Amino acid sequence: LSPSGKTMNNSDLLVDIEGISKNFPGVRALSNVDFKLQKGEIHGLMGENGAGKSTLIKILTGLYKKDDGRVLLEGKPFEISSPKDAPKYGISTVYQEINLIPTLSVAENIHIGREPKRFGRIDWKTINRNAKTAIKKLDLEIDVTQPVESFSVAIQQLIAITRALEISAKVLVLDEPTSSLDSTEVKHLFSVMKNLKKEGIGIIFVTHFLDQAFEITDSITVLRNGELVGQYETAKIPRIDLIANMLGKELTEFTES
């Protein structure tokens, strides 16, 4: 089903992960896991620590190689050999530990590795102009010539998202993006996410905050001990059932503990 509850065509399926397994020495990190992301959907990925969330994301973005299964992007199987290749497929990730260069300007961080040049030299005027336009799309008014370290964590998060969107425009993975934000900053981020959703971008929202998951997501996938517990429409699963599924306890066990 789509976020609106209507049946979707296969053409709306953006990411289709089928039967993914991943082993590390002495550990089965993922076992036959499925995951689906639609265009224009905010999809929560939840589970306790060690559930396999990070491993699944790292397989999708090319940091890990899968042992079994397949990944399809817009219906076509694809393999990413390195995280550097992910943007070529329209996949970008903003990690909890923001990977910006603090001493460089906002504009430099957004364009790093893709600096426009004029007469063989970096075109700073174009870089700054483009960065200002890009950052405005996230309802942010800042001086893009200032170093990233001069801004709050919340603004740095939005700068990282801006860079991700400038590189790709299909799949955006947000790994615990709200862990260091206050309620006002979370509200701004959610507004940005809703606007990106309207543009057809699929967002994977990795979080452990139940309230936020119920507020912003259309669907939620739960992993536990490297296995798929289930994928649910957010509006249709009671909160207590989601908690029980994450913990692996029956409802009576949970309420009695």
Side-chain angles (χ1 to χ4, degrees):
L1 294 178
S2 72
S4 64
K6 297 179 181 179
T7 301
M8 277 194 159
N9 298 320
N10 287 337
S11 60
D12 294 311
L13 190 57
L14 188 55
V15 174
D16 188 4
I17 294 175
E18 300 176 345
I20 288 293
S21 295
K22 178 65 180 178
N23 297 302
F24 296 104
V27 178
R28 190 160 178 80
L30 292 174
S31 178
N32 196 34
V33 170
D34 298 334
F35 179 87
K36 299 181 187 299
L37 175 70
Q38 307 282 0
K39 294 178 182 177
E41 177 189 30
I42 301 176
H43 195 129
L45 182 58
M46 304 190 72
E48 293 190 288
N49 290 339
K53 304 185 301 296
S54 295
T55 302
L56 184 65
I57 292 303
K58 288 174 180 177
I59 288 173
L60 176 63
T61 56
L63 191 61
Y64 292 159
K65 291 188 178 298
K66 57 183 172 53
D67 293 331
D68 295 297
R70 67 174 186 165
V71 182
L72 295 89
L73 182 66
E74 296 182 306
K76 299 178 181 178
F78 79 113
E79 296 279 350
I80 299 180
S81 58
S82 163
K84 293 181 180 179
D85 293 333
K88 298 177 184 177
Y89 294 93
I91 301 172
S92 284
T93 305
V94 177
Y95 291 101
Q96 184 176 354
E97 297 78 19
I98 302 170
N99 57 344
L100 301 173
I101 301 177
T103 55
L104 295 184
S105 72
V106 173
E108 288 174 293
N109 270 281
I110 290 173
H111 289 88
I112 196 163
R114 304 173 296 105
E115 298 87 350
K117 295 184 178 180
R118 182 178 174 85
F119 304 123
R121 296 184 177 183
I122 294 177
D123 186 350
W124 292 108
K125 186 175 180 180
T126 297
I127 285 177
N128 291 333
R129 183 179 65 248
N130 290 350
K132 187 174 182 179
T133 300
I135 211 81
K136 271 188 174 181
K137 294 178 183 177
L138 302 194
D139 298 322
L140 202 57
E141 288 280 355
I142 59 174
D143 184 350
V144 298
T145 66
Q146 294 300 306
V148 162
E149 63 187 359
S150 63
F151 297 101
S152 68
V153 171
I155 291 178
Q156 290 184 37
Q157 192 79 255
L158 293 174
I159 293 168
I161 291 173
T162 300
R163 182 174 68 180
L165 295 173
E166 287 298 289
I167 295 172
S168 76
K170 292 181 181 179
V171 180
L172 178 63
V173 182
L174 300 179
D175 184 14
E176 299 283 359
T178 63
S179 58
S180 300
L181 307 187
D182 63 29
S183 58
T184 300
E185 293 164 341
V186 169
K187 185 177 180 180
H188 187 180
L189 175 61
F190 283 3
S191 175
V192 167
M193 291 167 65
K194 289 174 183 176
N195 288 336
L196 296 176
K197 169 183 168 178
K198 291 176 184 176
E199 296 176 12
I201 294 173
I203 300 174
I204 301 175
F205 179 49
V206 183
T207 184
H208 63 277
F209 294 116
L210 264 73
D211 288 347
Q212 294 179 8
F214 276 96
E215 178 180 350
I216 194 65
T217 68
D218 303 298
S219 302
I220 297 173
T221 289
V222 175
L223 300 182
R224 188 174 68 243
N225 298 326
E227 297 183 351
L228 174 67
V229 177
Q231 180 172 315
Y232 315 96
E233 285 185 70
T234 306
K236 292 185 177 181
I237 183 170
R239 187 169 308 216
I240 196 71
D241 288 355
L242 180 63
I243 296 171
N245 288 338
M246 289 172 61
L247 297 178
K249 294 183 178 182
E250 295 295 330
L251 188 59
T252 52
E253 289 182 72
F254 179 77
T255 53
E256 289 170 1
S257 61

Short mmCIF file of all heavy atoms in Angstrom, two decimals, residues 53-101:
data_model
loop_
_atom_site.label_atom_id
_atom_site.label_comp_id
_atom_site.label_asym_id
_atom_site.label_seq_id
_atom_site.Cartn_x
_atom_site.Cartn_y
_atom_site.Cartn_z
N LYS A 53 19.79 -3.29 12.00
CA LYS A 53 19.44 -2.08 11.24
C LYS A 53 20.65 -1.51 10.50
O LYS A 53 20.58 -1.25 9.29
CB LYS A 53 18.87 -1.00 12.18
CG LYS A 53 17.68 -1.44 13.01
CD LYS A 53 17.11 -0.29 13.82
CE LYS A 53 18.10 0.34 14.78
NZ LYS A 53 18.53 -0.60 15.85
N SER A 54 21.74 -1.33 11.22
CA SER A 54 22.93 -0.73 10.60
C SER A 54 23.50 -1.62 9.51
O SER A 54 23.95 -1.13 8.47
CB SER A 54 24.01 -0.47 11.67
OG SER A 54 23.57 0.51 12.58
N THR A 55 23.48 -2.93 9.74
CA THR A 55 24.00 -3.86 8.73
C THR A 55 23.19 -3.77 7.44
O THR A 55 23.73 -3.74 6.34
CB THR A 55 23.98 -5.30 9.26
OG1 THR A 55 24.76 -5.37 10.46
CG2 THR A 55 24.56 -6.26 8.23
N LEU A 56 21.86 -3.71 7.58
CA LEU A 56 21.00 -3.61 6.41
C LEU A 56 21.28 -2.33 5.64
O LEU A 56 21.40 -2.34 4.40
CB LEU A 56 19.53 -3.64 6.83
CG LEU A 56 18.51 -3.65 5.69
CD1 LEU A 56 18.63 -4.92 4.87
CD2 LEU A 56 17.09 -3.51 6.24
N ILE A 57 21.42 -1.22 6.35
CA ILE A 57 21.71 0.07 5.70
C ILE A 57 23.07 0.03 5.02
O ILE A 57 23.24 0.54 3.91
CB ILE A 57 21.65 1.22 6.74
CG1 ILE A 57 20.22 1.42 7.24
CG2 ILE A 57 22.20 2.50 6.16
CD1 ILE A 57 19.21 1.70 6.16
N LYS A 58 24.04 -0.58 5.67
CA LYS A 58 25.39 -0.62 5.10
C LYS A 58 25.47 -1.51 3.87
O LYS A 58 26.30 -1.28 2.99
CB LYS A 58 26.39 -1.06 6.17
CG LYS A 58 26.62 0.02 7.22
CD LYS A 58 27.50 -0.45 8.37
CE LYS A 58 27.69 0.66 9.39
NZ LYS A 58 28.47 0.24 10.57
N ILE A 59 24.60 -2.50 3.77
CA ILE A 59 24.52 -3.31 2.55
C ILE A 59 23.89 -2.49 1.44
O ILE A 59 24.38 -2.48 0.30
CB ILE A 59 23.72 -4.60 2.80
CG1 ILE A 59 24.54 -5.57 3.67
CG2 ILE A 59 23.33 -5.27 1.48
CD1 ILE A 59 23.79 -6.80 4.11
N LEU A 60 22.83 -1.76 1.75
CA LEU A 60 22.16 -0.93 0.75
C LEU A 60 23.10 0.14 0.21
O LEU A 60 23.06 0.45 -0.99
CB LEU A 60 20.92 -0.27 1.37
CG LEU A 60 20.16 0.72 0.49
CD1 LEU A 60 19.59 0.05 -0.75
CD2 LEU A 60 19.05 1.40 1.29
N THR A 61 23.95 0.69 1.07
CA THR A 61 24.81 1.81 0.65
C THR A 61 26.22 1.39 0.24
O THR A 61 27.06 2.22 -0.05
CB THR A 61 24.91 2.84 1.79
OG1 THR A 61 25.38 2.20 2.99
CG2 THR A 61 23.55 3.46 2.07
N GLY A 62 26.49 0.07 0.21
CA GLY A 62 27.75 -0.40 -0.34
C GLY A 62 28.90 -0.55 0.62
O GLY A 62 30.01 -0.89 0.21
N LEU A 63 28.66 -0.33 1.91
CA LEU A 63 29.74 -0.48 2.88
C LEU A 63 30.02 -1.95 3.16
O LEU A 63 31.16 -2.34 3.38
CB LEU A 63 29.39 0.26 4.18
CG LEU A 63 30.52 0.42 5.18
CD1 LEU A 63 31.67 1.23 4.57
CD2 LEU A 63 30.01 1.10 6.45
N TYR A 64 28.96 -2.78 3.17
CA TYR A 64 29.10 -4.22 3.32
C TYR A 64 28.59 -4.93 2.07
O TYR A 64 27.69 -4.43 1.39
CB TYR A 64 28.28 -4.74 4.51
CG TYR A 64 28.73 -4.32 5.88
CD1 TYR A 64 27.84 -4.37 6.95
CD2 TYR A 64 30.04 -3.90 6.13
CE1 TYR A 64 28.23 -4.00 8.23
CE2 TYR A 64 30.44 -3.53 7.39
CZ TYR A 64 29.54 -3.57 8.44
OH TYR A 64 29.93 -3.21 9.70
N LYS A 65 29.15 -6.09 1.80
CA LYS A 65 28.65 -6.94 0.73
C LYS A 65 27.73 -8.01 1.33
O LYS A 65 28.07 -8.61 2.35
CB LYS A 65 29.80 -7.59 -0.04
CG LYS A 65 30.61 -6.61 -0.87
CD LYS A 65 31.61 -7.34 -1.74
CE LYS A 65 32.40 -6.36 -2.63
NZ LYS A 65 31.51 -5.64 -3.55
N LYS A 66 26.62 -8.24 0.71
CA LYS A 66 25.68 -9.26 1.20
C LYS A 66 26.22 -10.66 0.89
O LYS A 66 27.01 -10.85 -0.04
CB LYS A 66 24.32 -9.07 0.52
CG LYS A 66 24.36 -9.11 -1.00
CD LYS A 66 23.02 -8.84 -1.60
CE LYS A 66 23.08 -8.70 -3.10
NZ LYS A 66 23.71 -9.80 -3.82
N ASP A 67 25.78 -11.63 1.70
CA ASP A 67 26.14 -13.02 1.45
C ASP A 67 25.09 -13.70 0.59
O ASP A 67 25.42 -14.55 -0.24
CB ASP A 67 26.28 -13.76 2.79
CG ASP A 67 27.46 -13.26 3.59
OD1 ASP A 67 28.45 -12.78 2.98
OD2 ASP A 67 27.40 -13.32 4.84
N ASP A 68 23.82 -13.36 0.81
CA ASP A 68 22.72 -13.94 0.04
C ASP A 68 21.67 -12.87 -0.21
O ASP A 68 21.65 -11.83 0.45
CB ASP A 68 22.07 -15.12 0.80
CG ASP A 68 23.03 -16.29 0.98
OD1 ASP A 68 23.45 -16.86 -0.04
OD2 ASP A 68 23.35 -16.60 2.14
N GLY A 69 20.77 -13.18 -1.15
CA GLY A 69 19.67 -12.27 -1.44
C GLY A 69 20.00 -11.32 -2.57
O GLY A 69 21.05 -11.42 -3.20
N ARG A 70 19.08 -10.40 -2.81
CA ARG A 70 19.31 -9.41 -3.86
C ARG A 70 18.66 -8.08 -3.50
O ARG A 70 17.73 -8.02 -2.69
CB ARG A 70 18.79 -9.91 -5.20
CG ARG A 70 17.28 -10.06 -5.29
CD ARG A 70 16.88 -10.42 -6.72
NE ARG A 70 15.42 -10.45 -6.87
CZ ARG A 70 14.80 -10.45 -8.05
NH1 ARG A 70 15.52 -10.45 -9.16
NH2 ARG A 70 13.48 -10.47 -8.12
N VAL A 71 19.19 -7.03 -4.11
CA VAL A 71 18.67 -5.68 -3.91
C VAL A 71 18.28 -5.13 -5.28
O VAL A 71 19.05 -5.19 -6.23
CB VAL A 71 19.73 -4.76 -3.26
CG1 VAL A 71 19.14 -3.36 -3.03
CG2 VAL A 71 20.22 -5.35 -1.95
N LEU A 72 17.06 -4.61 -5.37
CA LEU A 72 16.59 -4.01 -6.61
C LEU A 72 16.31 -2.53 -6.38
O LEU A 72 15.77 -2.14 -5.34
CB LEU A 72 15.30 -4.68 -7.11
CG LEU A 72 15.41 -6.14 -7.55
CD1 LEU A 72 15.16 -7.07 -6.37
CD2 LEU A 72 14.41 -6.44 -8.66
N LEU A 73 16.70 -1.72 -7.33
CA LEU A 73 16.41 -0.29 -7.32
C LEU A 73 15.55 0.02 -8.53
O LEU A 73 15.98 -0.21 -9.66
CB LEU A 73 17.71 0.53 -7.36
CG LEU A 73 17.54 2.05 -7.31
CD1 LEU A 73 16.97 2.47 -5.95
CD2 LEU A 73 18.87 2.75 -7.55
N GLU A 74 14.34 0.46 -8.27
CA GLU A 74 13.36 0.72 -9.33
C GLU A 74 13.20 -0.50 -10.24
O GLU A 74 13.15 -0.39 -11.46
CB GLU A 74 13.74 1.97 -10.12
CG GLU A 74 13.72 3.23 -9.28
CD GLU A 74 14.06 4.48 -10.06
OE1 GLU A 74 15.13 4.49 -10.69
OE2 GLU A 74 13.27 5.44 -10.03
N GLY A 75 13.15 -1.67 -9.59
CA GLY A 75 12.89 -2.91 -10.31
C GLY A 75 14.08 -3.58 -10.94
O GLY A 75 13.96 -4.67 -11.50
N LYS A 76 15.26 -2.96 -10.85
CA LYS A 76 16.46 -3.52 -11.49
C LYS A 76 17.48 -3.94 -10.44
O LYS A 76 17.81 -3.13 -9.55
CB LYS A 76 17.07 -2.50 -12.45
CG LYS A 76 16.15 -2.09 -13.58
CD LYS A 76 16.80 -1.04 -14.45
CE LYS A 76 15.87 -0.60 -15.58
NZ LYS A 76 16.47 0.47 -16.42
N PRO A 77 18.00 -5.18 -10.51
CA PRO A 77 19.04 -5.61 -9.57
C PRO A 77 20.28 -4.73 -9.71
O PRO A 77 20.65 -4.34 -10.82
CB PRO A 77 19.35 -7.04 -10.01
CG PRO A 77 18.13 -7.49 -10.76
CD PRO A 77 17.62 -6.25 -11.45
N PHE A 78 20.90 -4.40 -8.58
CA PHE A 78 22.11 -3.60 -8.66
C PHE A 78 23.05 -3.98 -7.53
O PHE A 78 22.63 -4.46 -6.48
CB PHE A 78 21.80 -2.10 -8.65
CG PHE A 78 21.50 -1.52 -7.29
CD1 PHE A 78 22.36 -0.62 -6.70
CD2 PHE A 78 20.34 -1.87 -6.60
CE1 PHE A 78 22.09 -0.07 -5.45
CE2 PHE A 78 20.05 -1.33 -5.36
CZ PHE A 78 20.93 -0.43 -4.79
N GLU A 79 24.32 -3.76 -7.76
CA GLU A 79 25.36 -4.04 -6.78
C GLU A 79 26.19 -2.77 -6.60
O GLU A 79 26.56 -2.12 -7.58
CB GLU A 79 26.27 -5.17 -7.26
CG GLU A 79 25.59 -6.52 -7.40
CD GLU A 79 25.43 -7.24 -6.08
OE1 GLU A 79 26.04 -6.78 -5.08
OE2 GLU A 79 24.71 -8.25 -6.04
N ILE A 80 26.46 -2.42 -5.36
CA ILE A 80 27.33 -1.29 -5.08
C ILE A 80 28.62 -1.84 -4.49
O ILE A 80 28.60 -2.54 -3.47
CB ILE A 80 26.68 -0.31 -4.09
CG1 ILE A 80 25.38 0.26 -4.68
CG2 ILE A 80 27.62 0.83 -3.75
CD1 ILE A 80 24.67 1.24 -3.76
N SER A 81 29.73 -1.54 -5.12
CA SER A 81 31.01 -2.07 -4.67
C SER A 81 31.66 -1.21 -3.60
O SER A 81 32.55 -1.66 -2.88
CB SER A 81 31.98 -2.23 -5.85
OG SER A 81 32.17 -0.98 -6.51
N SER A 82 31.20 0.04 -3.48
CA SER A 82 31.80 0.97 -2.53
C SER A 82 30.78 2.05 -2.18
O SER A 82 29.94 2.41 -3.02
CB SER A 82 33.05 1.62 -3.14
OG SER A 82 33.43 2.78 -2.42
N PRO A 83 30.85 2.59 -0.96
CA PRO A 83 29.95 3.69 -0.60
C PRO A 83 30.07 4.88 -1.55
O PRO A 83 29.11 5.64 -1.72
CB PRO A 83 30.40 4.06 0.81
CG PRO A 83 31.02 2.83 1.36
CD PRO A 83 31.68 2.16 0.19
N LYS A 84 31.23 5.03 -2.18
CA LYS A 84 31.42 6.13 -3.11
C LYS A 84 30.54 5.98 -4.34
O LYS A 84 30.26 6.96 -5.04
CB LYS A 84 32.90 6.21 -3.54
CG LYS A 84 33.84 6.59 -2.40
CD LYS A 84 35.27 6.67 -2.90
CE LYS A 84 36.22 7.06 -1.77
NZ LYS A 84 37.64 7.10 -2.24
N ASP A 85 30.11 4.74 -4.61
CA ASP A 85 29.28 4.50 -5.79
C ASP A 85 27.79 4.73 -5.52
O ASP A 85 27.00 4.85 -6.44
CB ASP A 85 29.46 3.05 -6.28
CG ASP A 85 30.85 2.80 -6.82
OD1 ASP A 85 31.49 3.77 -7.29
OD2 ASP A 85 31.31 1.65 -6.78
N ALA A 86 27.41 4.75 -4.24
CA ALA A 86 25.99 4.88 -3.89
C ALA A 86 25.32 6.10 -4.53
O ALA A 86 24.20 5.98 -5.05
CB ALA A 86 25.81 4.88 -2.38
N PRO A 87 25.95 7.28 -4.50
CA PRO A 87 25.30 8.45 -5.11
C PRO A 87 25.02 8.28 -6.60
O PRO A 87 24.08 8.90 -7.11
CB PRO A 87 26.32 9.58 -4.86
CG PRO A 87 27.07 9.15 -3.64
CD PRO A 87 27.19 7.65 -3.78
N LYS A 88 25.80 7.45 -7.28
CA LYS A 88 25.55 7.22 -8.71
C LYS A 88 24.19 6.57 -8.93
O LYS A 88 23.59 6.73 -9.99
CB LYS A 88 26.65 6.32 -9.29
CG LYS A 88 28.05 6.90 -9.23
CD LYS A 88 29.07 5.90 -9.75
CE LYS A 88 30.50 6.42 -9.59
NZ LYS A 88 31.49 5.42 -10.04
N TYR A 89 23.72 5.85 -7.91
CA TYR A 89 22.42 5.20 -7.99
C TYR A 89 21.33 6.02 -7.32
O TYR A 89 20.20 5.59 -7.21
CB TYR A 89 22.49 3.82 -7.33
CG TYR A 89 23.36 2.83 -8.05
CD1 TYR A 89 24.70 2.67 -7.69
CD2 TYR A 89 22.87 2.06 -9.10
CE1 TYR A 89 25.52 1.76 -8.36
CE2 TYR A 89 23.67 1.14 -9.76
CZ TYR A 89 24.99 1.00 -9.38
OH TYR A 89 25.79 0.09 -10.04
N GLY A 90 21.69 7.22 -6.86
CA GLY A 90 20.70 8.08 -6.21
C GLY A 90 20.45 7.73 -4.77
O GLY A 90 19.36 7.97 -4.25
N ILE A 91 21.45 7.16 -4.09
CA ILE A 91 21.30 6.78 -2.68
C ILE A 91 22.29 7.56 -1.82
O ILE A 91 23.50 7.51 -2.07
CB ILE A 91 21.54 5.27 -2.48
CG1 ILE A 91 20.56 4.46 -3.32
CG2 ILE A 91 21.43 4.89 -1.01
CD1 ILE A 91 20.84 2.98 -3.34
N SER A 92 21.79 8.29 -0.85
CA SER A 92 22.65 9.05 0.05
C SER A 92 22.27 8.80 1.49
O SER A 92 21.09 8.58 1.81
CB SER A 92 22.55 10.56 -0.24
OG SER A 92 23.28 10.90 -1.40
N THR A 93 23.26 8.84 2.37
CA THR A 93 23.04 8.57 3.79
C THR A 93 23.57 9.72 4.63
O THR A 93 24.66 10.23 4.38
CB THR A 93 23.75 7.27 4.21
OG1 THR A 93 23.32 6.20 3.38
CG2 THR A 93 23.44 6.93 5.66
N VAL A 94 22.78 10.13 5.62
CA VAL A 94 23.22 11.09 6.62
C VAL A 94 23.31 10.34 7.93
O VAL A 94 22.28 9.93 8.48
CB VAL A 94 22.26 12.29 6.73
CG1 VAL A 94 22.73 13.24 7.83
CG2 VAL A 94 22.17 13.03 5.39
N TYR A 95 24.53 10.14 8.40
CA TYR A 95 24.74 9.34 9.60
C TYR A 95 24.58 10.17 10.87
O TYR A 95 24.63 11.40 10.84
CB TYR A 95 26.13 8.69 9.58
CG TYR A 95 26.28 7.62 8.52
CD1 TYR A 95 26.93 7.88 7.33
CD2 TYR A 95 25.74 6.35 8.73
CE1 TYR A 95 27.05 6.90 6.35
CE2 TYR A 95 25.86 5.36 7.76
CZ TYR A 95 26.52 5.65 6.58
OH TYR A 95 26.63 4.67 5.62
N GLN A 96 24.40 9.46 11.98
CA GLN A 96 24.24 10.12 13.27
C GLN A 96 25.46 10.98 13.58
O GLN A 96 25.32 12.10 14.07
CB GLN A 96 24.05 9.06 14.36
CG GLN A 96 23.78 9.63 15.74
CD GLN A 96 23.50 8.53 16.75
OE1 GLN A 96 23.40 7.36 16.43
NE2 GLN A 96 23.39 8.91 18.01
N GLU A 97 26.65 10.46 13.28
CA GLU A 97 27.87 11.24 13.43
C GLU A 97 28.06 12.01 12.12
O GLU A 97 28.46 11.43 11.10
CB GLU A 97 29.09 10.36 13.70
CG GLU A 97 29.02 9.58 14.99
CD GLU A 97 28.14 8.35 14.92
OE1 GLU A 97 27.86 7.88 13.78
OE2 GLU A 97 27.70 7.86 15.96
N ILE A 98 27.75 13.28 12.15
CA ILE A 98 27.72 14.09 10.92
C ILE A 98 29.11 14.14 10.30
O ILE A 98 30.09 14.56 10.93
CB ILE A 98 27.22 15.51 11.22
CG1 ILE A 98 25.83 15.45 11.84
CG2 ILE A 98 27.18 16.34 9.94
CD1 ILE A 98 25.34 16.76 12.39
N ASN A 99 29.19 13.70 9.05
CA ASN A 99 30.50 13.61 8.39
C ASN A 99 30.76 14.82 7.50
O ASN A 99 31.01 14.71 6.30
CB ASN A 99 30.60 12.31 7.57
CG ASN A 99 29.48 12.19 6.53
OD1 ASN A 99 28.49 12.90 6.60
ND2 ASN A 99 29.68 11.31 5.57
N LEU A 100 30.73 15.99 8.13
CA LEU A 100 31.11 17.23 7.45
C LEU A 100 32.51 17.62 7.91
O LEU A 100 32.99 17.16 8.94
CB LEU A 100 30.13 18.36 7.79
CG LEU A 100 28.66 18.13 7.43
CD1 LEU A 100 27.80 19.25 7.99
CD2 LEU A 100 28.48 18.02 5.92
N ILE A 101 33.15 18.46 7.14
CA ILE A 101 34.48 18.96 7.53
C ILE A 101 34.27 20.30 8.23
O ILE A 101 33.92 21.30 7.59
CB ILE A 101 35.40 19.11 6.31
CG1 ILE A 101 35.56 17.75 5.62
CG2 ILE A 101 36.76 19.67 6.73
CD1 ILE A 101 36.39 17.78 4.36
#
